[in-house]
C-alpha cells in the first residue's frame, strides 16, 4: 500500500501551491495521501480553505486524502464542518464473521403471517 505524506507548515498555506503539490504527489496513483499539518499551531480559515481545496484535488485524481492535525486545527475543521471528511482518523476495518443465515422451521399447521 503506497501512502504518501505531504508536510504542511507555516501559518497560511497558499491554496494554489498546495493543490499543485497534491497533483504532483498523486500523479502515479498512491493508495492514500496524508497531509501532516501537526506543525500548524495557529490555523486560520485560509488554512481550512487550502486543505479543503487540496482534498478536492486529490479526490478528483482518485486518491483518498486525510489530514493529520494538531488540536487547534482539528477544532477549526470541526467548527467549519470539515473535520469528518478531512481529519477523520484512519481505521483498519474489523475482521468479522459473515452474517449467519436465519434458519426457520415451518410447521405444517402454522397459519400464514399477514
Amino acid at each position: 500500500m503506497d501512502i504518501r505524506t505531504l508536510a504542511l507548515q507555516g501559518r497560511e498555506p497558499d491554496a494554489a501551491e498546495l493543490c499543485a503539490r497534491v497533483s504532483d504527489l498523486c500523479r502515479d496513483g498512491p493508495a492514500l495521501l496524508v497531509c501532516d499539518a501537526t506543525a500548524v499551531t495557529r490555523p486560520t480559515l485560509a488554512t481550512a480553505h487550502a486543505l479543503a481545496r487540496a482534498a478536492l484535488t486529490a479526490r478528483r485524481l482518485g486518491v483518498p486524502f486525510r489530514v493529520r492535525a494538531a488540536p487547534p486545527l482539528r477544532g477549526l475543521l470541526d467548527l467549519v464542518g470539515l473535520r469528518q471528511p478531512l481529519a477523520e482518523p484512519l481505521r483498519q476495518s474489523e475482521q468479522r464473521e459473515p452474517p449467519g443465515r436465519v434458519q426457520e422451521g415451518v410447521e405444517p399447521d402454522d397459519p400464514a403471517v399477514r
Side-chain angles (χ1 to χ4, degrees):
M1 178 184 240
D2 184 22
I3 299 176
R4 304 263 171 91
T5 303
L6 169 67
L8 184 65
Q9 298 174 347
R11 187 161 181 215
E12 291 186 16
D14 179 57
E17 180 183 318
L18 186 60
C19 289
R21 289 172 58 196
V22 167
S23 293
D24 287 343
L25 288 170
C26 293
R27 188 173 305 133
D28 54 347
L32 177 67
L33 179 61
V34 177
C35 181
D36 184 0
T38 54
V40 178
T41 56
R42 293 182 142 186
T44 64
L45 288 175
T47 308
H49 173 74
L51 288 171
R53 294 227 0 232
L56 285 173
T57 301
R59 288 186 180 139
R60 284 184 185 135
L61 295 170
V63 178
F65 183 88
R66 290 289 179 256
V67 176
R68 187 179 306 133
L73 180 56
R74 279 197 307 261
L76 177 64
L77 293 176
D78 198 25
L79 181 68
V80 296
L82 293 173
R83 183 173 181 183
Q84 188 174 13
L86 293 181
E88 188 174 87
L90 302 173
R91 298 183 186 132
Q92 296 291 332
S93 60
E94 295 179 11
Q95 296 292 328
R96 296 185 181 182
E97 292 183 22
R101 300 180 88 172
V102 177
Q103 297 178 359
E104 291 185 27
V106 179
E107 299 293 324
D109 297 332
D110 283 347
V113 178
R114 294 181 190 196

